[in-house]
Amino acid sequence: GFCSKPCLFFASGECTNGSTCCYCHMDHRKRPAHLDKRNRTQLERKTPEAQALILLSGLSMRLQQVEIGPEAESAFTELVAVCDVNLQMLSNA
């Protein structure tokens, strides 16, 4: 079901509020990282080409951390190649 934000102190065994704690004491999967306001602003100031390069770099790093099948790896390699061609065309325009 739905719950409030996880209790950061409970996860480390240091929550002193017990059942009166306003935060959830259930096990939660680690949340995905999000850009903070400063990083979002910096990204928004970049050209679309630079944003695409940053995105592809991040995806590449993430895919190296997880096991993906050969079909997914092949599809990603093909996507990168297409993006590289399109980025070169944009930068030459």
Side-chain angles (χ1 to χ4, degrees), residues 56-69:
L56 286 174
S57 174
L59 283 173
S60 178
M61 286 175 29
R62 180 67 181 128
L63 287 176
Q64 290 173 4
Q65 295 172 349
V66 297
E67 288 274 334
I68 61 171

Side-chain angles (χ1 to χ4, degrees), residues 2-53:
F2 295 103
C3 63
S4 61
K5 292 182 180 181
C7 177
L8 301 177
F9 297 104
F10 181 78
S12 63
E14 299 176 14
C15 181
T16 59
N17 295 328
S19 62
T20 61
C21 183
C22 296
Y23 297 96
C24 184
H25 285 191
M26 300 294 287
D27 185 32
H28 288 85
R29 294 181 185 262
K30 187 174 180 179
R31 292 192 211 183
H34 295 280
L35 295 176
D36 61 17
K37 186 175 182 177
R38 181 179 61 85
N39 287 332
R40 284 192 310 269
T41 301
Q42 287 178 343
L43 185 62
E44 289 168 356
R45 290 181 180 156
K46 296 197 178 299
T47 64
E49 295 86 4
Q51 290 177 0
L53 288 173

